[in-house]
Amino acid sequence: MRSVTRCSETLNLIALALWAGALIGAGGAAAILFPTLKQLAPSLPDFAAFPDDHWKIAGGLVGVRLFVLADVVQLGAACATILALIVTRLAGGTQASRAATGLRLVFMAIAWLLASYQIMVLGPRMQTNLNAFYAAAKAGQVDAARVNRDAFDTDHPIASRVLGGTLLAVMGALAASAWGLSARKEP
């Protein structure tokens, strides 16, 4: 059973690393994308009837795909970490200290809860507001577009904190998992 436990623990570490990488990648790409587009000051023909900054629209059209990909990776990684924990438990558990195991579970629970909120509540609401903004902006309905953009903008700082908190929790779970494995006693 030790080989099964080792495989499940390896799956857990890989899933946590991919999860962290997706969050860092999406956030880092957005941090580069939006300032670059602002400097370029693009004009988008499809949104010619909307007078406000087109760089935000262009950035959003690309950025939303990055964050949807990050959400897909988060969902897959969260499922993989749950599967790894179940397999580890069924295989007789890990030899990690109780402290390391407890920390890992706390950090993973926080990451799962934050990711669930992002994927099931916040992300869909923001996407709905963004889609309504794009439709109104394309149609030249400036007031409606601004209302939807403002609704999206209201959620944006919350989304940044949720993704940042998720990253911290995932990194905590990764560190606790590695600590537990390095401290384990071989039978």
Side-chain angles (χ1 to χ4, degrees), residues 95-184:
Q95 298 295 319
S97 70
R98 285 181 167 240
T101 301
L103 271 176
R104 177 168 93 168
L105 290 174
V106 167
F107 281 124
M108 289 172 101
I110 292 167
W112 293 329
L113 289 171
L114 289 171
S116 295
Y117 176 68
Q118 166 60 33
I119 292 167
M120 291 188 265
V121 178
L122 189 58
R125 182 173 68 215
M126 291 178 75
Q127 188 63 55
T128 297
N129 289 326
L130 197 58
N131 290 342
F133 163 70
Y134 290 146
K138 275 186 178 180
Q141 300 168 347
V142 175
D143 290 337
R146 287 179 178 152
V147 166
N148 288 298
R149 181 194 59 203
D150 291 347
F152 175 87
D153 287 347
T154 298
D155 281 336
H156 191 272
I158 298 165
S160 294
R161 287 191 296 272
V162 167
L163 292 176
T166 305
L167 177 60
L168 289 174
V170 168
M171 294 302 287
L174 188 57
S177 296
W179 172 45
L181 291 174
S182 67
R184 73 187 216 163

Side-chain angles (χ1 to χ4, degrees), residues 49-135:
F50 188 70
D52 295 353
D53 296 327
H54 284 197
W55 64 269
K56 288 182 182 179
I57 296 170
L61 290 167
V62 175
V64 73
R65 292 179 181 184
L66 296 170
F67 287 102
V68 167
L69 177 61
D71 284 350
V72 169
V73 172
Q74 284 195 88
L75 182 60
C79 290
T81 61
I82 292 169
L83 176 65
L85 284 175
I86 291 169
V87 170
T88 298
R89 181 71 179 142
L90 291 176
T94 182
Q95 298 295 319
S97 70
R98 285 181 167 240
T101 301
L103 271 176
R104 177 168 93 168
L105 290 174
V106 167
F107 281 124
M108 289 172 101
I110 292 167
W112 293 329
L113 289 171
L114 289 171
S116 295
Y117 176 68
Q118 166 60 33
I119 292 167
M120 291 188 265
V121 178
L122 189 58
R125 182 173 68 215
M126 291 178 75
Q127 188 63 55
T128 297
N129 289 326
L130 197 58
N131 290 342
F133 163 70
Y134 290 146

